[in-house]
Amino acid sequence: MNKIKQITRILFILIFASSIQSCNEYLKEEMVSDVSAESYYTTEAGLNDAVEAAYSYLKVMYFGQEDGMSMTVYGTDLHANGSDGRKVLGQYRFDSSEGNSWNVWRTMYQGINQCNAVVGRTSVNEKIREDIKSGLIAQTRFLRALYYFVLVRQFGDVHLSLEETVGVETEANRTSAKTIYSTAIIPDLEYAIENLPETQSEYGRATKVAAQFLLSKVYLTYGWLTGKTEDFDKSIELAQAVIDNENYSLLSDYADLWDINNQKNSEVIWSIQNSTDPLTRGTGNRSHLFFLMGYDKLPGMKRSIDYGRPYIRFSPTPYALSLWDRKYDARYYKSYQHVWYANNTANLLPNQEIGDTAIFLPGVNVGEKYYVADENGNRIERTLTQEYVNERHNKSAVIYTPDERNNEAGTGYSERVYASLWKFIDPTRESINLKEGTRDFFVMRLAEAYLIAAEAYFKTDDLDKAAEMLSIVRKRAAWPGFEQEMNISANDVTLELILDERGRELLGEMQRWYDLTRMGFLIDRVKAYCNATNSPNYAVDNISEKHLLRPIPQNQIDRCSNDYGQNPGY
């Protein structure tokens, strides 16, 4: 492990743990003190450290963090609020003083200003070879594009600056989202594609393929704004370049993606790493916290490292649980936990012993079919009955089902008990209460490139190609022997199918709010499906047109000497 570095800038000390890990080491962040940006940023080593500092903002408040996940996961058709935590975003009961939005806003602009400093100072540096300069600038412009892409999708028209801010500025502009796409995000990524290598010696640095992936997604989003077929054509071209790259391939088993010992696999285009050393981990990846129900308060159970620390934030909606045709599609089984074994002698049920099944949560109601895997990974079909559960598990197993009629008996889903997304769990944490996880956060993976291409092909009326792209992802998700049942034809392709396929494949991966707003489904889908079990339907009742964008944070408005303006409705 390399030591943490801290990079001193004018008036600021950046004290962020490394966010990018190589196979054998972390992206270096070295202590640099008693120097100024004017002196240190003139050297190759200094500029490389400045680039590394630009990466550090990826983990601050956004990827794998509660602020960013709250702004992208719940308050959608797939996740409502659990019983605990920050509910206002998921319930659409927020205004411009809401803290998650401000945290993301200021972090993105801190990252952007660091990127601006690197681009500006490197461009005029005559002491460094041109190929090294272009590589450093390309990485930084890739990051700058990503930071602006977050901002325009969340807030719409925002402040645009491509030059370093030094000292205090009290005026800010409102530049249209379309202009930011056309003059900043797209040119930055085009430069990155031209100047980044196919692979990097340090895992986690930006690559040409990562830039192609991101620009494909940018053109897809931009195409929805402009309505121009040419933007979707560009999205297709870039997505196909990623798909056709021989360095990447889909894993044969969806479950293998979430094996914490298999994170640098052939499907990952670009990810954010976290140190296994608690002294250098910083905020870590916290996504393992947010999707777990309150298992540790149920009979026979206490909190453990293997089962995770439950924050009880994001509860799957009934619609989310209905997405998969579980007879053929194995992703539900491979995404959720179904069995918890008793581990607490203090509150065992009568006749229950440590190691017995304490909780059985198959995600269906009594009398319905459910599907599990045998020891070889093949599908087993069962009908949920208490008798079967008693026989297979033990008589002390408590079955919790989505049927709210079971709530009087305490065995129905609620804000505290619900299907728990398992794919982000982190058993490497050193203690049961540790929040800072070591898991990589997958920002870009190959399966999404197929889904981006499918959506772009749909928008260009090429339904055959859209079906081909979707079928590749769907067949990978099939139970062994049922691949053909997951195949679809051009006649099956609709925008709703594409949206739901993204939900099945990318559940919980900070995509859903963007998908719904991009495609124009947010309001209708939230009103139809965003209902937390046994909870007032605040989201359903509150959402309106203004919620297609977040409010400009009040801190931004108050700190401007000019009239910065607010988004409509806030």
Side-chain angles (χ1 to χ4, degrees):
M1 297 294 176
N2 293 303
K3 297 178 181 178
I4 295 192
K5 298 182 175 182
Q6 299 171 348
I7 299 171
T8 302
R9 294 197 54 213
I10 296 177
L11 305 178
F12 296 99
I13 299 176
L14 299 177
I15 314 176
F16 293 104
S18 169
S19 58
I20 308 297
Q21 176 186 10
S22 88
C23 294
N24 299 307
E25 60 179 11
Y26 290 90
L27 208 66
K28 305 174 183 67
E29 294 182 24
E30 184 176 337
M31 174 72 79
V32 180
S33 59
D34 298 324
V35 296
S36 68
E38 283 81 359
S39 63
Y40 189 59
Y41 280 11
T42 61
T43 67
E44 182 179 333
L47 287 169
N48 189 64
D49 284 343
V51 172
E52 290 163 5
Y55 280 98
S56 70
Y57 294 96
L58 294 166
K59 291 196 302 184
V60 181
M61 303 297 181
Y62 194 70
F63 288 110
Q65 309 303 315
E66 185 161 8
D67 298 275
M69 298 197 84
S70 294
M71 295 180 72
T72 53
V73 172
Y74 73 164
T76 68
D77 54 345
L78 301 186
H79 285 97
N81 59 275
S83 62
D84 296 358
R86 310 169 184 177
K87 300 182 181 181
V88 295
L89 274 173
Q91 296 176 344
Y92 294 93
R93 295 190 296 123
F94 55 85
D95 57 24
S96 59
S97 64
E98 192 278 315
N100 297 105
S101 298
W102 168 242
N103 288 339
V104 169
W105 175 281
R106 65 186 174 88
T107 297
M108 295 300 108
Y109 276 113
Q110 287 168 342
I112 287 166
N113 197 49
Q114 178 68 18
C115 292
N116 289 344
V118 175
V119 172
R121 293 170 184 270
T122 306
S123 299
V124 298
N125 192 306
E126 297 179 353
K127 301 177 182 179
I128 300 174
R129 288 197 339 244
E130 288 300 319
D131 60 326
I132 295 174
K133 286 171 61 173
S134 62
L136 294 174
I137 292 171
Q139 289 183 68
T140 313
R141 292 185 70 173
F142 167 87
L143 293 171
R144 185 169 67 182
L146 177 58
Y147 293 141
Y148 269 123
F149 192 39
V150 171
L151 286 169
V152 294
R153 288 182 295 167
Q154 288 284 347
F155 301 99
D157 303 344
V158 298
H159 177 77
L160 174 64
S161 175
L162 300 179
E163 296 182 357
E164 180 184 6
T165 298
V166 178
V168 177
E169 291 189 5
T170 62
E171 291 191 1
N173 61 64
R174 289 291 298 272
T175 300
S176 73
K178 286 184 179 180
T179 299
I180 293 173
Y181 277 110
S182 63
T183 64
I185 297 174
I186 292 173
D188 272 355
L189 291 173
E190 288 174 338
Y191 183 92
I193 290 169
E194 183 69 25
N195 291 280
L196 284 172
E198 287 276 343
T199 60
Q200 293 273 20
S201 59
E202 289 184 283
Y203 189 84
R205 286 186 181 267
T207 64
K208 177 178 180 178
V209 185
Q212 289 172 322
F213 180 105
L214 183 54
L215 186 52
S216 176
K217 195 167 186 176
V218 163
Y219 267 121
L220 178 69
T221 308
Y222 188 53
W224 280 94
L225 284 177
T226 65
K228 294 181 179 178
T229 300
E230 64 192 59
D231 293 321
F232 296 114
D233 287 335
K234 292 175 182 176
S235 178
I236 290 168
E237 179 182 354
L238 289 156
Q240 285 289 170
V242 175
I243 291 166
D244 295 339
N245 190 301
E246 61 183 12
N247 292 319
Y248 301 93
S249 59
L250 293 180
L251 299 184
S252 60
D253 189 336
Y254 181 78
D256 289 344
L257 275 167
W258 315 111
D259 179 351
I260 203 163
N261 297 310
N262 185 42
Q263 297 182 84
K264 294 171 179 60
N265 59 68
S266 64
E267 187 165 334
V268 177
I269 306 296
W270 189 64
S271 63
I272 297 167
Q273 290 75 51
N274 296 278
S275 171
T276 57
D277 184 345
L279 296 178
T280 65
R281 191 173 305 153
T283 56
N285 182 349
R286 301 191 178 194
S287 57
H288 63 94
L289 301 166
F290 307 128
F291 297 89
L292 303 183
M293 61 94 162
Y295 74 89
D296 54 343
K297 304 301 182 184
L298 298 177
M301 298 304 304
K302 64 181 178 181
R303 188 176 300 177
S304 73
I305 290 177
D306 286 341
Y307 291 143
R309 178 177 177 177
Y311 261 38
I312 323 177
R313 295 295 198 260
F314 306 144
S315 166
T317 64
Y319 183 74
L321 300 180
S322 74
L323 277 180
W324 297 268
D325 183 348
R326 300 183 204 174
K327 186 175 183 180
Y328 306 119
D329 192 330
R331 283 174 294 190
Y332 178 84
Y333 173 81
K334 294 175 180 180
S335 297
Y336 285 93
Q337 178 158 353
H338 304 95
V339 180
W340 287 255
Y341 297 103
N343 63 2
N344 188 5
T345 57
N347 66 348
L348 292 171
L349 291 171
N351 301 318
Q352 189 178 59
E353 297 180 1
I354 296 296
D356 287 348
T357 299
I359 303 168
F360 188 59
L361 207 155
V364 299
N365 293 313
V366 173
E368 295 178 349
K369 300 286 187 183
Y370 73 100
Y371 302 89
V372 296
D374 65 16
E375 60 185 10
N376 297 316
N378 295 311
R379 190 195 74 184
I380 301 174
E381 179 182 296
R382 292 289 183 262
T383 299
L384 181 60
T385 65
Q386 184 67 58
E387 291 73 21
Y388 170 71
V389 174
N390 290 348
E391 176 185 346
R392 184 183 181 203
H393 296 278
N394 56 60
K395 292 185 179 180
S396 64
V398 178
I399 307 173
Y400 293 89
T401 70
D403 193 338
E404 294 185 28
R405 292 173 296 179
N406 294 331
N407 285 325
E408 290 186 8
T411 57
Y413 282 13
S414 67
E415 280 190 310
R416 295 196 66 82
V417 179
Y418 49 76
S420 291
L421 194 62
W422 185 248
K423 65 184 187 179
F424 300 133
I425 205 71
D426 189 342
T428 67
R429 296 172 303 121
E430 290 80 11
S431 70
I432 60 173
N433 292 325
L434 194 66
K435 297 176 289 187
E436 296 81 13
T438 68
R439 183 181 284 279
D440 292 358
F441 191 92
F442 299 157
V443 181
M444 306 173 189
R445 58 185 180 88
L446 185 59
E448 192 188 358
Y450 284 100
L451 297 174
I452 290 169
E455 187 178 336
Y457 277 124
F458 175 86
K459 292 296 290 182
T460 59
D461 295 323
D462 192 340
L463 300 187
D464 287 316
K465 288 295 292 185
E468 177 187 335
M469 298 293 105
L470 291 169
S471 292
I472 290 169
V473 175
R474 288 171 57 83
K475 286 190 286 187
R476 189 274 293 274
W479 288 105
F482 293 95
E483 289 79 9
Q484 289 308 306
E485 284 80 356
M486 292 288 283
N487 200 48
I488 61 171
S489 69
N491 292 333
D492 299 316
V493 177
T494 64
L495 190 57
E496 289 82 355
L497 174 66
I498 294 169
L499 176 67
D500 285 347
E501 195 57 45
R502 289 186 63 86
R504 286 184 276 266
E505 180 67 26
L506 305 171
L507 189 72
E509 297 179 46
M510 298 183 69
Q511 303 283 351
R512 195 60 174 184
W513 193 83
Y514 294 130
D515 294 343
L516 292 173
T517 52
R518 179 180 69 252
M519 297 183 189
F521 285 121
L522 179 69
I523 295 174
D524 290 343
R525 283 284 184 121
V526 167
K527 284 184 174 294
Y529 301 123
C530 188
N531 49 316
T533 305
N534 279 352
S535 174
N537 290 331
Y538 288 116
V540 173
D541 297 334
N542 292 339
I543 194 168
S544 65
E545 288 288 332
K546 73 178 185 180
H547 294 118
L548 296 172
L549 293 173
R550 308 299 190 185
I552 302 298
Q554 195 62 41
N555 278 327
Q556 168 71 18
I557 294 172
D558 292 343
R559 295 178 187 194
C560 285
S561 58
N562 62 316
D563 182 9
Y564 191 77
Q566 182 54 274
N567 281 333
Y570 293 102

